Amino acid sequence: MVALTGGMFWSGHTTPRLGIDLAGGTSITLKAKAEPGQESAVNETNMNTAVGIIERRVNGLGVSEAEVQTQGRENIIVNIPKGTNEKQAREQVGTTAQLYFRPVLTVAAAAPEAAPTATPSGSATPKPSASASVGEKKSATPTATASTQGRALSEALKAPNATGTPTPTGSASATPKASATPQPTPSADAATAALQQKFTTLNCLDPKQRTAAAAGTKPGDSIVACGKNAIGQWEKYLLGPAEVEGRDVDDAKAAIDQQSGQWIVDMTFTDAGSKKFQSITSKLSQQAEPQNQFAIVLDGEVVSAPRVQTTLSANAQISGSFNQQSAQDLGNILAYGALPLSFDTQSVDTVTAALGGEQLEAGLIAGAIGLALVILYLVVYYRGLSFIAILSLGVSALLTYVIMSLLGPAIGFALNLPAVCGAIVAIGITADSFIVYFERIRDELREGRTLRPAVERAWPRARRTILVSDFVSFLAAAVLFIVTVGKVQGFAFTLGLTTLLDIVVVFLFTKPLMTLLARTKFFGDGHPWSGLDPKRLGAKPPLRRTRRNAPAAGAAGTVEPKEA
């Protein structure tokens, strides 16, 4: 108790985390589905990847303390706290992930650039990039400075090729001729000017701007997007139209390169995807940095931007500063974008904070009434023994509260209304264990034994009954937790937790406390208010032991028994 309570105050989480139905907010239940013949796409790996993608979308809405977790094999529960636009949240989490491969036109720092000033600096400053190279290890990527960005941007957009796709004609890292204030080249049309202005003013440090950057764009459009570099800093990208889609990826997985021993990501493309990928890599391999990169864009955000060193087709290998986790994450993202996995919205529940507060108050009142009735029964029927039961209930309640408070930050546990119901039911289960033990002690007293041996003789029989009873309750809670989804799991989890705590309290508190109090005069002598009065219980008189006297020397005949 001391250790757990100290840990609770040390962590700073002194109250249980409340669920959506109590704190207010929106709860969305999604069910995964796959295209006919692709049922295997609904598996644990892809579901976990989907959770990560949905978390990114929810975070993009600017919310905090949102919960996104799988429940069962094919369900995802999204709980978003109050203050979030329910319609926007539903649109964000219910759509299929969009994965595209786009050529990189230019890269800049995350924050909007300041107005150009007269400085002699006209060259790009190299710094680490988030991109890994395709076919070789990662190296530094030059990033355009404010003075060169306008020129590089206009040059990257101005020359369309035969297919109408803007073709990069200059490098963002090129050093312009010396001039006091390099000016951006005027855009030939309004669309290019708007895109250039959007790129210039984009602030990738703002989550809402990151989400809105590529909103409403089509695969054939040039876009602006945000992504993190190798040292975890946000950068903004100007990207050309999508050349390859996620569905063109046949498979992707993390592996260890046999030559370097480093973690890599292997990609395999479909037949159609191979032709597209060969076409784009043949172009990019001839360009200077950063225009020799292609960006892997998931839901409008750059998750990786590898460099292309040579023309590739059916197979590609992404290498860089990967560890096992980062390689697996990227492999899952690529594989997820290729799978025909989407989600149906099963339910959307919105609860206001006022309604949640009323529900919590009603639940606490119901719990208080139930606890009061149990205590009243114990006092009337067990008298002094009720003191032990009430203390044990208090210990159980304290441990339950502290553990629930710690489980919030530890595993994301949230106390919802069904969980409160589970805690109320647990009051009766816990009290039942005390009653079993007390009745066993009383049975021993009725047989004519004194209290101290009665306490010890009653324990093995009571212990067996308590364990069997709690095992049945825990089994029911475990089955309910496994086969149900949604808020019902909160009831099952709380019921299982309190059942385990019942065993801990009875074994480590109630039984030792009973042993100590049996040595006191109040309980040991069977005071009328102790609840262990032998006369009140109808106990038999103490058993008298008899023995045979040893025959006198030389005497014959039988020996009559004598009272001990």
Side-chain angles (χ1 to χ4, degrees), residues 474-485 488-493 495:
F474 184 80
L475 182 63
V479 172
L480 191 63
F481 184 85
I482 293 172
V483 302
T484 59
V485 297
V488 180
Q489 283 193 325
F491 173 85
F493 182 86
L495 183 60

Side-chain angles (χ1 to χ4, degrees), residues 7 52 77 82 84 100 134 152 165 189 218 233 245 250 309 386 412 449 478 503:
I77 306 297
K82 59 186 177 182
T84 303
Y100 296 105
V134 176
T165 301
D189 54 64
K218 300 178 180 179
Q233 296 178 338
E245 298 183 13
D250 184 56
Q309 304 297 331
S386 63
R449 294 180 177 87
I503 296 176

Side-chain angles (χ1 to χ4, degrees), residues 302-554:
V302 178
V303 295
S304 184
R307 298 173 182 81
V308 178
Q309 304 297 331
T310 185
T311 301
L312 303 169
S313 57
N315 300 309
Q317 183 184 97
I318 302 178
S319 61
S321 299
F322 289 120
N323 55 31
Q324 181 178 0
Q325 186 63 47
S326 60
Q328 290 176 344
D329 290 344
L330 180 57
N332 289 340
I333 288 173
L334 293 170
Y336 179 86
L339 291 172
L341 187 64
S342 58
F343 292 90
D344 288 332
T345 302
Q346 297 292 99
S347 65
V348 179
D349 300 321
T350 302
V351 180
T352 64
L355 179 59
E358 292 175 359
Q359 291 176 337
L360 178 59
E361 182 180 357
L364 294 177
I365 291 174
I369 293 173
L371 181 60
L373 291 175
V374 170
I375 292 175
L376 180 62
Y377 170 80
L378 292 172
V379 171
V380 171
Y381 191 76
Y382 287 106
R383 301 191 178 187
L385 284 177
S386 63
F387 172 74
I388 301 173
I390 293 171
L391 282 181
S392 299
L393 283 172
V395 170
S396 180
L398 177 61
L399 289 176
T400 301
Y401 180 88
V402 171
I403 291 175
M404 284 184 175
S405 299
L406 293 174
L407 288 179
I411 64 173
F413 171 77
L415 184 66
N416 54 24
L417 191 59
V420 174
C421 295
I424 295 172
V425 172
I427 296 174
I429 295 176
T430 304
D432 181 61
S433 298
F434 310 148
I435 291 173
V436 168
Y437 186 31
F438 294 160
E439 288 302 321
R440 293 296 188 190
I441 294 174
R442 286 182 158 195
D443 287 343
E444 295 295 330
L445 292 176
R446 290 187 182 100
E447 293 295 328
R449 294 180 177 87
T450 58
L451 182 58
R452 293 179 66 175
V455 168
E456 300 306 322
R457 286 176 62 89
W459 174 242
R461 298 171 63 189
R463 177 180 60 199
R464 185 165 53 250
T465 304
I466 292 170
L467 288 175
V468 171
S469 175
D470 283 344
F471 174 77
V472 172
S473 297
F474 184 80
L475 182 63
V479 172
L480 191 63
F481 184 85
I482 293 172
V483 302
T484 59
V485 297
K487 298 175 183 177
V488 180
Q489 283 193 325
F491 173 85
F493 182 86
T494 306
L495 183 60
L497 173 64
T498 51
T499 301
L500 292 177
L501 288 178
D502 175 44
I503 296 176
V504 172
V505 171
V506 170
F507 275 68
L508 302 182
F509 183 81
T510 307
K511 165 55 172 63
L513 182 61
M514 188 69 231
T515 300
L516 292 174
L517 293 180
R519 302 171 184 173
T520 64
K521 183 177 180 180
F522 179 80
F523 286 97
D525 291 347
H527 191 281
W529 283 97
S530 68
L532 298 172
D533 182 6
K535 294 181 180 180
R536 181 183 176 86
L537 296 176
K540 296 178 182 179
L543 296 176
R544 295 182 179 274
R545 297 181 182 178
T546 61
R547 63 181 178 83
R548 295 180 181 273
N549 290 329

Side-chain angles (χ1 to χ4, degrees), residues 59-108:
N59 291 335
L61 298 175
V63 302
S64 60
E65 296 186 356
E67 298 176 0
V68 183
Q69 58 186 355
T70 58
Q71 290 197 345
R73 181 178 175 272
E74 54 186 15
N75 293 285
I76 291 179
I77 306 297
V78 184
N79 292 328
I80 304 175
K82 59 186 177 182
T84 303
N85 185 299
E86 183 267 332
K87 181 179 179 182
Q88 183 183 13
R90 184 173 178 176
E91 292 175 351
Q92 286 287 329
V93 304
T95 56
T96 306
Q98 301 294 324
L99 182 70
Y100 296 105
F101 293 73
R102 294 176 178 270
V104 176
L105 302 182
T106 191
V107 186

Side-chain angles (χ1 to χ4, degrees), residues 7-22:
M8 179 184 71
F9 284 102
W10 178 79
S11 67
H13 298 277
T14 56
T15 57
R17 182 180 181 184
L18 298 181
I20 295 299
D21 55 349
L22 297 180

